[in-house]
Amino acid sequence: MKSGKFTYHEPTTLTAAFQLLAELGDDVKIIAGGQSLIPVMNLRLAQPEHLIDINTIQELIGIKETNEHITVGAVTCHADIETAFGLKAACPILPEAARRIGHLAIRNRGTIGGSLVNADPAAEWPLIAILMDAEMTIHSGQEVRILSARDFIQSVYTSAVEEYEILTTIQFPVLKTGEGWSIQQICRRVGDFAIVAVAVTLRLQQDGTLKHLRLCLGGMDVTPLRMTMVEKDAVGKIPDAAWIEDTSKSASKMGSPGSDMHANAIYRQEICEVLTTKALNEALHRARKQEGSPYG
Amino acid sequence: MDKVSISLNINGHDQEMLVEPRKLLSDAIREDARLTGTHVGCEHGVCGACTVLIDGRPQRSCLTFAIQAQGKSIHTIESVENKTGGYTPLQQALHEEHGLQCGFCTPGIIVTFEAYLKDHPNPSDAEIRDVLSGNLCRCTGYQNIIKAIKKVVAVLPEVQTEIEAGDEYFTDFTSIGKRMPRREDHRLLRGQGRYLDDIEVPGALHACFLRSPHAHAKIVSIEMDEAKSMPGVEAVFTGKELVEWTTTMRMAPPIDGIKPVEMTALPIDKVRFHGDPVVCVVATDRYVAEDAIECIDVEYEPLDAVTDMFKAQDSQSPLVDDMLDSNLVSHQTFSTDGIDAIMEDAEHIVECRFAEHRQTQLPIETRGIIAQWDQGREHLTLHVGNQAPHPYRTVIAGWLELKESQVTVISPDVGGGFGQKIAVYREELTVAAIARHLKRPVRWREDRMENLLAACHAREDTVRTRAAVDGDGKLLGLTLEITEDFGAYCFYPANYLARVIAMIISGPYRLPQYAYDVKVVLTNKCGNGPMRAPMAITSWIMDGTIEAIAKHLSLDPVAVRRTNMLSERDLPYTMPSGEVLEDVNPLETLERGLEAFDYQAFRKHQNADRTQKVYRGIGICAVVESTTYGSKFYKSAGIPGSGHEAAWVKVEPSGVVRASVGLASTGQGYETAFAQTVAEGFGVHPDDVRIEIGNTDVAPYGMGSRGSRGATAGGGAAYLVGLKAQKKALTIAAKLLNIDTIDELSMRHGKVWHRNKGAWTETPLGLPDIARVAYFNPAELPEGMEPGFEIFKAYDPPPMTYSNSTHFCEVLVNIGTGQVNIERYLIVENCGTVINPLIVEGQQHGSVIMGISGTLFEHVIYDDTGQNLTGSLADYLIPTACEVPDIDIIQMNTPNKNTPAGIKGMAEGGVMGAIGAVSNAVSDALAPFNITIEEHPISPNSLRALLRKNHKGLLQ
């Protein structure tokens, strides 16, 4: 399986990249890690005339931490997020999401930006970005716009990025003190795309009731789904077994899961319920046992 | 875009190359830098064979364009060595632990772990598996790879495989029975193997096939002008042209019940399955050839397709092969005399159903061929990875209307076969014919999608059984109704399954009467071929039936096995087919395994867990594996062909020993194992024997590697030729030493020993001395002996030999998610004299994992219109290192009394046992829900569907 012909461009600055985008017309694809794009090109399912390689644009690579945010350059590879020194303390859900992507060799090359623009409904980064309400900065030659992850991921393999634009950074909030979290997935094999995935963050009050909840489901619809109603209703509730069971049942009814050769819709609904229970339990456990947690 | 000049830093050297931007790094490394140790298995980033280091980090070279790798430092397997050019600790450990077989996936694994272990010198078992999960292996089942890595990080203490009584027999041998690390490893661990794609042929053109997108369609017209005139394209051919250079390929054994079928090199009138090759483009490279394929316009008239083996038997069904009057290509029935009476009078009849699904062999190296026609000598040389080069040569010479002496077939290093690489395929015939016509070398390498869609499929059998039993669970008779979906073309005789089932269905059990009705049906899918243990379903059938009997009569399934299973005391046992079973010990392996697995404790544990809604199950499957297939088998089965094998030994004037056997290797370590058997027979050291196999000009005519015949037929022939050589050497020695009889002489490690008054002493005479006389001083030879030292021996093994084993599998089923986890797996096996325990264990591992893989993961899926939905490794699944259990093995070997050195042969029994054991284990776990597994694969989705259906069933 060999790709069709294309002309290769390797701009080293964003400015150069936008110039190329302006000049080259419609039949252009931007390549970052290529771990999703190259198989598709090898299969000749995508045959762009021009390929713009943004891997050497340094301003798109790197991780910056502040007390409030983690800002990740779009062309940062998953492996670097997985092993970034400060992240395990400040925002451990990020390295955990990265760790689950494919295999080591894929993570050494695939990028967070590539994954988000690709918008595979079963992928980790769209799930986590929507969970955390990450902010996506998109540049074009003319302007900069910032979208929330929920607006950025539009549908299956469809993001909000236009042909003349480049996703440049993704900004996540750090996890707060005492914030529990969990990612649960079911895959046929380690490293495969998840059939269903559930991600949770939550914080508890001194009295053990829920202060804040974020709950996001992957594989249940064309994009990851935030359970916004449940999140609102959860504030003040006691996260006991009954609440967990109710929430899990609600989760299983969300969206419109599809059927494919690996799993049918009913199966997805069933395991969504199972995974939501697991995720909530794990998040609660983490919230309760943390240093500085009021629930220590 | 045209080619650009780039510079890649590979293994510390800057390499200039001229490449198109689309050229993959994997291809650039292999072709432009000529470093062929990095292998290509899929080109979609799943298998990991192509992994290299880029700036010290493992990456898939098939998922990077070469032009993107400029300015980085790339390291390949060729750079992996220690400071003095020897093995690294990882390579050494893989060598010692037999952590590689065909070697195709090995460089990717070594490169990954050399980097990983540098940064993580103390990984846990889970971490090792997690990293290893990025590399697929089809041969080893990952067992010894993990063991080797653990050895490097000093996690694993030395573990001895338990040796059972009976092994004392083998201490008489000096080479046979030794755990000798393989000599093949020397090249395979360093990426210096020579697989088909590694062989450089200057001026070779590249072939590429346009394949049908339809499952069934008439070929109306083919528009090829644009493709033909594309720069870089040499020629384009269709079935119409090829007909002039090839005869029809006939698969027509003269047996009752099977219809002869024919095929042309490429289809002319219609295509019969999604992926059927239609046009062959020949160009300067594969990239250009694929460009040309895109310009070819084939007009099809789609026809209705049939994808269901039962619907295919309706008179209204679309006809797959227009030369036949129906899709039923083979129908064979048989019954013993008393079966009808038994079924009528039986106290109990137990009915079962078993549906095995469609799979494919999936060697990590896909198919391919290089064809070179020497016009001056009128000789065709074919390089092709094939398990049986001589029969291959006979067949392809015939189809090209060449004499066999005009064709040489060379099987180089091969990245796995598993039955896929035996038949002569149409693509290969096409390439050979084109090479002859163009008078230029032509080569073809199949890509992974082609391999999944269009190489060869297997299994897909549906079976209904009825067992007659008495009140104690004793088996009185069994009837089987089998229907097999054979796909659209016959790559091997359609009656094969019936033939083998007929012989071995009873396996390790006493079965006085039986009957079978086997129908083999054509459908619009890729044709079937043999896949490691084509008869594997038989073990699932027998042990599944035993379990059903136990359930029906409320008996312990172990008790039912004891009632019916053969023990050594029952031998020889004549099976209802007339075959005589000897030298097996089924009941003994069952008892030993029950003890080792602690069956009683398991049942207690299982019951306790059930009260906590934790569902464990145990699956037992007892296997008698038919191996070897001597020529009498073929005769009685009415299948053309023979099962004999041939070997030669040549001693050069300097005394070095060369030997050959008619088998070709696809990872079984023949170069080592046969060196051991020749050495054993000859009385030399295995290190002094060079084995040369795979080349039809060099090796004697043999029947190839298949049907677990390698050890008995090949090893047997090698042992016998070694004995013959020793006899000649000692006869010469007796003359030179002036000794009357060779009875008092023996060869040990190439030196002649003499027994004088009961005591053995070494003489000054060695093989070099003997050889020198034979070649340069024949006057000194014994009267009447011919000069030189070349010995030939052909060996026809018994029609059948048998290995047996009992498999034990414990699973944990998560009823909420449908996931099955294999907690423990044990094989207790008797495979006769073991030539090399390391290699045999590797075969046991690989075959069991393949069986587990088929039962839980693999599935070739066609939709109703005949579209194959599993054309990539992301969809056709085999387990990674994270999904496989550790396999424990207990050997209970006894020799076969009728074969050289007591060898029996093995390597398919693992598949047979695993399919049955895993199925039974899951059924056992789900017994509280009244669920019996009748279909494969047992995916989480399908398990949940079963549980949902039985939701009303009791939970306790």
Side-chain angles (χ1 to χ4, degrees):
Chain A
M1 292 146 36
K2 311 294 185 190
S3 165
K5 290 191 211 221
F6 55 83
T7 305
Y8 178 77
H9 310 269
E10 199 182 10
T12 50
T13 65
L14 264 180
T15 316
F18 289 122
Q19 202 154 349
L20 282 168
L21 280 170
E23 286 166 2
L24 293 176
D26 282 342
D27 206 351
V28 175
K29 261 207 139 29
I30 293 174
I31 187 168
Q35 305 299 277
S36 300
L37 181 59
I38 295 184
V40 159
M41 287 177 71
N42 284 345
L43 279 164
R44 299 200 181 212
L45 295 172
Q47 296 203 56
E49 228 185 277
H50 297 274
L51 205 63
I52 300 178
D53 186 339
I54 58 172
N55 281 294
T56 50
I57 301 178
Q58 290 306 312
E59 56 197 291
L60 296 179
I61 303 171
I63 304 170
K64 291 192 195 65
E65 279 177 55
T66 67
N67 285 335
E68 303 288 313
H69 295 111
I70 312 282
T71 306
V72 186
V75 183
T76 308
C77 72
H78 310 306
D80 285 348
I81 301 171
E82 181 187 354
T83 56
F85 182 68
L87 286 188
K88 287 208 164 64
C91 199
I93 198 171
L94 297 183
E96 180 59 24
R99 184 185 76 76
R100 286 158 181 262
I101 297 172
H103 302 284
L104 187 61
I106 303 286
R107 296 197 291 277
N108 279 332
R109 186 89 177 137
T111 66
I112 182 171
S115 167
L116 285 161
V117 174
N118 193 40
D120 189 311
E124 284 79 358
W125 287 128
L127 176 74
I128 300 301
I130 290 177
L131 174 79
M132 309 283 285
D133 289 314
E135 294 202 332
M136 332 283 290
T137 304
I138 306 169
H139 276 73
S140 72
Q142 271 67 56
E143 56 166 18
V144 182
R145 54 195 189 110
I146 298 180
L147 289 180
S148 163
R150 269 187 261 200
D151 297 323
F152 182 87
I153 306 286
Q154 292 180 337
S155 187
V156 186
Y157 301 130
T158 314
S159 77
V161 174
E162 303 284 357
E163 289 118 29
Y164 50 86
E165 292 180 314
I166 296 178
L167 171 67
T168 52
T169 60
I170 304 102
Q171 186 181 87
F172 297 92
V174 298
L175 288 182
K176 301 223 178 341
T177 311
E179 187 157 24
W181 58 275
S182 177
I183 305 176
Q184 299 293 329
Q185 292 174 307
I186 283 208
C187 315
R188 285 306 302 279
R189 304 171 301 181
V190 164
D192 287 347
F193 278 106
I195 296 172
V196 170
V198 175
V200 168
T201 68
L202 53 80
R203 279 165 19 231
L204 301 169
Q205 300 278 23
Q206 288 270 25
D207 63 2
T209 59
L210 283 162
K211 183 172 176 181
H212 187 257
L213 172 69
R214 287 181 290 202
L215 176 51
C216 194
L217 312 174
M220 294 293 283
D221 210 310
V222 294
T223 69
L225 299 174
R226 281 282 294 278
M227 296 185 61
T228 36
M229 293 304 296
V230 164
E231 290 171 4
K232 251 199 217 108
D233 289 343
V235 177
K237 290 245 168 51
I238 302 168
D240 59 8
W243 176 84
I244 292 174
E245 197 182 320
D246 273 342
T247 307
S248 303
K249 283 203 161 65
S250 303
S252 74
K253 299 195 177 82
M254 291 278 299
S256 177
S259 290
D260 63 22
M261 73 178 96
H262 295 302
N264 59 26
I266 301 175
Y267 180 73
R268 287 177 203 269
Q269 289 172 326
E270 287 179 344
I271 57 171
C272 182
E273 187 175 338
V274 170
L275 293 180
T276 305
T277 303
K278 267 183 109 174
L280 290 171
N281 276 314
E282 188 175 50
L284 284 166
H285 177 73
R286 284 194 167 116
R288 286 166 184 156
K289 78 166 172 61
Q290 270 187 55
E291 290 272 344
S293 159
Y295 206 72
Chain B
M1 188 172 171
D2 287 339
K3 294 191 176 172
V4 281
S5 178
I6 67 170
S7 176
L8 292 185
N9 184 280
I10 306 179
N11 299 336
H13 304 291
D14 286 322
Q15 309 248 11
E16 304 289 328
M17 40 185 90
L18 205 60
V19 297
E20 286 182 317
R22 63 173 169 170
K23 187 154 199 181
L24 294 171
L25 179 60
S26 44
D27 290 335
I29 288 172
R30 292 177 49 76
E31 291 159 21
D32 299 272
R34 289 169 142 153
L35 296 165
T36 55
T38 301
H39 301 141
V40 174
C42 72
E43 285 176 330
H44 40 274
V46 178
C47 77
C50 71
T51 305
V52 297
L53 298 182
I54 300 185
D55 290 339
R57 294 169 132 186
Q59 286 182 34
R60 306 272 195 250
S61 60
C62 76
L63 294 189
T64 309
F65 295 117
I67 197 170
Q68 293 183 292
Q70 288 197 97
K72 302 195 195 286
S73 116
I74 300 163
H75 283 88
T76 67
I77 181 68
E78 286 86 351
S79 69
V80 177
E81 56 181 20
N82 68 16
K83 291 193 184 67
T84 52
Y87 286 155
T88 61
L90 177 60
Q91 286 169 317
Q92 182 66 29
L94 286 166
H95 178 59
E96 287 168 5
E97 298 302 324
H98 189 40
L100 65 155
Q101 291 182 25
C102 80
F104 201 76
C105 72
T106 309
I109 292 173
I110 291 175
V111 160
T112 301
F113 275 90
E114 290 289 343
Y116 177 74
L117 292 175
K118 233 188 230 147
D119 298 329
H120 305 85
N122 283 303
S124 64
D125 174 275
E127 285 168 331
I128 290 171
R129 283 175 198 265
D130 193 64
V131 174
L132 185 57
S133 72
N135 296 81
L136 296 180
C137 175
R138 194 59 160 155
C139 296
T140 66
Y142 309 104
Q143 306 292 304
N144 288 345
I145 301 175
I146 294 168
K147 206 164 160 205
I149 295 167
K150 285 182 173 174
K151 194 172 191 173
V152 173
V153 302
V155 167
L156 191 75
E158 281 301 308
V159 173
Q160 294 296 336
T161 306
E162 207 171 313
I163 311 276
E164 280 292 327
D167 279 357
E168 294 96 56
Y169 174 87
F170 307 129
T171 59
D172 286 347
F173 293 125
T174 51
S175 300
I176 287 178
K178 294 287 170 281
R179 299 179 79 84
M180 215 164 253
R182 307 182 323 166
R183 63 185 53 178
E184 289 91 331
D185 295 353
H186 178 80
R187 63 186 187 271
L188 301 179
L189 283 168
R190 293 159 194 274
Q192 286 166 359
R194 293 203 359 116
Y195 301 86
L196 189 85
D197 223 30
D198 305 338
I199 299 170
E200 268 192 63
V201 177
L205 296 164
H206 291 251
C208 184
F209 292 90
L210 179 150
R211 295 179 180 276
S212 167
H214 301 288
H216 198 196
K218 288 204 184 115
I219 299 170
V220 176
S221 68
I222 304 178
E223 185 49 63
M224 307 182 291
D225 288 340
E226 196 187 336
K228 281 180 175 169
S229 58
M230 189 177 274
V233 173
E234 178 69 26
V236 182
F237 301 100
T238 69
K240 287 203 180 111
E241 288 89 58
L242 285 159
V243 150
E244 296 170 44
W245 312 316
T246 58
T247 66
T248 327
M249 300 160 78
R250 215 150 198 261
M251 182 61 69
I255 318 166
D256 282 335
I258 184 172
K259 295 181 192 162
V261 290
E262 295 182 346
M263 38 183 149
T264 48
L266 288 180
I268 297 172
D269 300 319
K270 70 168 191 177
V271 291
R272 299 191 203 171
F273 70 95
H274 172 201
D276 210 348
V278 179
V279 181
C280 184
V281 169
V282 182
T284 48
D285 71 42
R286 173 86 188 207
Y287 289 78
V288 172
E290 290 193 16
D291 292 339
I293 298 241
E294 283 200 306
C295 299
I296 296 174
D297 198 8
V298 181
E299 198 193 328
Y300 297 100
E301 185 194 307
L303 301 166
D304 286 336
V306 58
T307 57
D308 178 286
M309 63 175 101
F310 298 104
K311 292 202 180 116
Q313 295 176 61
D314 290 343
S315 55
Q316 303 306 315
S317 168
L319 201 58
V320 175
D321 185 339
D322 293 320
M323 280 184 62
L324 305 178
D325 54 14
S326 80
N327 291 321
L328 184 65
V329 71
S330 170
H331 187 187
Q332 313 228 269
T333 59
F334 172 82
S335 53
T336 52
D337 290 330
I339 185 65
D340 291 332
I342 290 285
M343 297 307 289
E344 240 188 77
D345 298 339
E347 218 179 308
H348 302 273
I349 298 274
V350 177
E351 297 193 349
C352 296
R353 184 177 161 262
F354 304 91
E356 191 62 32
H357 57 303
R358 201 164 197 75
Q359 293 159 66
T360 181
Q361 296 85 351
L362 201 80
I364 305 296
E365 186 201 21
T366 58
R367 299 176 302 163
I369 189 168
I370 301 171
Q372 297 175 78
W373 172 251
D374 182 327
Q375 179 66 11
R377 287 190 147 83
E378 295 193 321
H379 194 92
L380 182 68
T381 302
L382 301 174
H383 285 85
V384 55
N386 192 278
Q387 302 165 225
H390 291 92
Y392 186 98
R393 186 192 69 183
T394 302
V395 168
I396 202 170
W399 287 342
L400 290 166
E401 290 180 309
L402 291 170
K403 295 184 212 166
E404 279 179 88
S405 48
Q406 289 179 280
V407 180
T408 300
V409 174
I410 303 171
S411 186
D413 287 323
V414 183
F418 313 112
Q420 187 175 98
K421 295 175 181 171
I422 299 177
V424 177
Y425 290 104
R426 294 169 300 158
E427 292 95 335
E428 296 162 358
L429 176 63
T430 298
V431 168
I434 290 171
R436 195 169 155 209
H437 172 75
L438 292 178
K439 301 187 187 49
R440 287 191 60 182
V442 181
R443 66 190 305 155
W444 171 61
R445 176 74 193 284
E446 175 184 58
D447 68 36
R448 181 56 65 185
M449 183 157 78
E450 295 179 276
N451 181 263
L452 288 168
L453 296 183
C456 186
H457 289 175
R459 311 210 196 285
E460 197 162 12
D461 312 303
T462 300
V463 185
R464 292 206 116 78
T465 61
R466 303 178 76 229
V469 290
D470 69 14
D472 297 322
K474 186 164 131 195
L475 256 177
L476 304 169
L478 181 72
T479 66
L480 305 101
E481 219 182 283
I482 304 179
T483 310
E484 184 168 37
D485 185 327
F486 215 59
Y489 293 98
C490 299
F491 296 135
Y492 78 128
N495 71 329
Y496 176 85
L497 183 65
R499 213 51 215 85
V500 182
I501 284 174
M503 263 177 16
I504 65 154
I505 181 64
S506 53
Y509 297 107
R510 256 176 249 104
L511 181 61
Q513 302 283 340
Y514 78 107
Y516 66 78
D517 180 317
V518 180
K519 294 195 177 93
V520 181
V521 178
L522 299 182
T523 62
N524 292 110
K525 300 176 186 171
C526 178
N528 272 21
M531 176 173 175
R532 193 170 193 173
M535 66 301 200
I537 199 172
T538 58
S539 300
W540 182 26
I541 290 171
M542 287 312 293
D543 271 73
T545 299
I546 294 281
E547 294 285 329
I549 292 168
K551 193 170 165 188
H552 185 85
L553 297 172
S554 300
L555 296 169
D556 182 332
V558 168
V560 177
R561 283 184 174 84
R562 285 185 174 127
T563 302
N564 290 291
M565 200 178 275
L566 294 164
S567 100
E568 284 178 310
R569 295 182 304 273
D570 300 316
L571 307 176
Y573 174 76
T574 303
M575 299 194 273
S577 58
E579 302 290 326
V580 179
L581 204 51
E582 275 188 291
D583 299 324
V584 292
N585 53 2
L587 189 61
E588 287 75 11
T589 60
L590 173 73
E591 299 295 357
R592 183 69 186 88
L594 288 168
E595 188 195 315
F597 215 69
D598 206 345
Y599 180 70
Q600 301 299 343
F602 172 81
R603 285 295 182 203
K604 285 203 189 87
H605 201 33
Q606 179 184 48
N607 287 325
D609 277 348
R610 276 179 184 160
T611 63
Q612 306 300 314
K613 299 205 178 148
V614 171
Y615 298 96
R616 287 186 187 281
I618 185 171
I620 300 173
C621 188
V623 176
V624 167
E625 175 189 358
S626 52
T627 63
T628 308
Y629 306 85
S631 65
K632 286 202 182 72
F633 159 75
Y634 288 88
K635 185 85 195 264
S636 65
I639 300 175
S642 174
H644 72 268
E645 200 41 64
W648 56 247
V649 159
K650 299 182 188 183
V651 182
E652 303 293 349
S654 61
V656 294
V657 180
R658 298 163 53 214
S660 183
V661 185
L663 276 70
S665 169
T666 54
Q668 303 91 327
Y670 290 148
E671 288 166 44
T672 307
F674 293 157
Q676 288 174 260
T677 42
V678 169
E680 187 68 51
F682 201 165
V684 300
H685 195 280
D687 290 347
D688 296 330
V689 179
R690 182 186 137 119
I691 298 293
E692 301 171 16
I693 50 175
N695 183 326
T696 57
D697 285 351
V698 172
Y701 201 107
M703 300 305 154
S705 179
R706 55 198 169 78
S708 302
R709 69 190 295 272
T712 318
Y719 179 59
L720 292 173
V721 81
L723 286 172
K724 205 171 165 185
Q726 182 174 167
K727 190 165 176 206
K728 175 164 178 136
L730 294 179
T731 308
I732 297 171
K735 168 87 176 2
L736 298 175
L737 293 169
N738 237 327
I739 290 167
D740 284 334
T741 161
I742 66 168
D743 293 341
E744 302 305 317
L745 291 178
S746 161
M747 182 87 84
R748 297 178 194 183
H749 285 194
K751 298 286 282 195
V752 176
W753 285 61
H754 179 218
R755 179 170 49 196
N756 205 346
K757 299 190 183 65
W760 285 97
T761 49
E762 194 177 320
T763 72
L765 216 57
L767 197 50
D769 308 307
I770 294 169
R772 210 176 310 116
V773 168
Y775 283 96
F776 299 141
N777 203 356
E780 293 297 315
L781 289 174
E783 192 67 45
M785 184 185 279
E786 291 172 0
F789 204 130
E790 300 189 358
I791 314 272
F792 174 86
K793 175 88 183 137
Y795 168 54
D796 197 355
M800 204 55 59
T801 57
Y802 300 93
S803 284
N804 68 280
S805 56
T806 306
H807 292 236
F808 299 81
C809 175
E810 178 183 333
V811 301
L812 189 61
V813 178
N814 182 328
I815 59 165
T817 64
Q819 289 167 309
V820 173
N821 195 58
I822 300 178
E823 306 270 284
R824 286 194 293 164
Y825 200 102
L826 169 69
I827 321 168
V828 185
E829 179 149 7
N830 180 348
C831 49
T833 300
V834 167
I835 299 171
N836 184 326
L838 263 187
I839 291 178
V840 164
E841 282 159 22
Q843 295 301 309
Q844 289 165 321
H845 295 159
S847 57
V848 165
I849 297 300
M850 187 174 275
I852 291 173
S853 175
T855 308
L856 296 179
F857 290 96
E858 299 179 46
H859 197 176
V860 175
I861 303 176
Y862 282 89
D863 71 15
D864 291 337
T865 69
Q867 288 296 298
N868 186 325
L869 304 177
T870 47
S872 87
L873 293 181
D875 294 315
Y876 188 82
L877 308 177
I878 64 169
T880 71
C882 290
E883 285 82 41
V884 302
D886 283 335
I887 297 171
D888 293 320
I889 303 173
I890 296 176
Q891 312 275 15
M892 287 187 74
N893 298 322
T894 64
N896 181 308
K897 295 192 245 344
N898 298 314
T899 62
I903 301 169
K904 288 179 181 172
M906 51 77 69
E908 290 174 292
V911 180
M912 300 164 75
I915 293 174
V918 173
S919 305
N920 283 345
V922 176
S923 298
D924 186 57
L926 299 179
F929 304 92
N930 214 24
I931 290 173
T932 302
I933 297 296
E934 291 184 342
E935 282 181 18
H936 293 156
I938 309 173
S939 66
N941 191 56
S942 66
L943 253 193
R944 274 301 314 158
L946 286 172
L947 283 160
R948 238 176 270 131
K949 225 169 51 170
N950 286 270
H951 184 61
K952 296 168 189 102
L954 298 167
L955 277 175
Q956 296 295 54

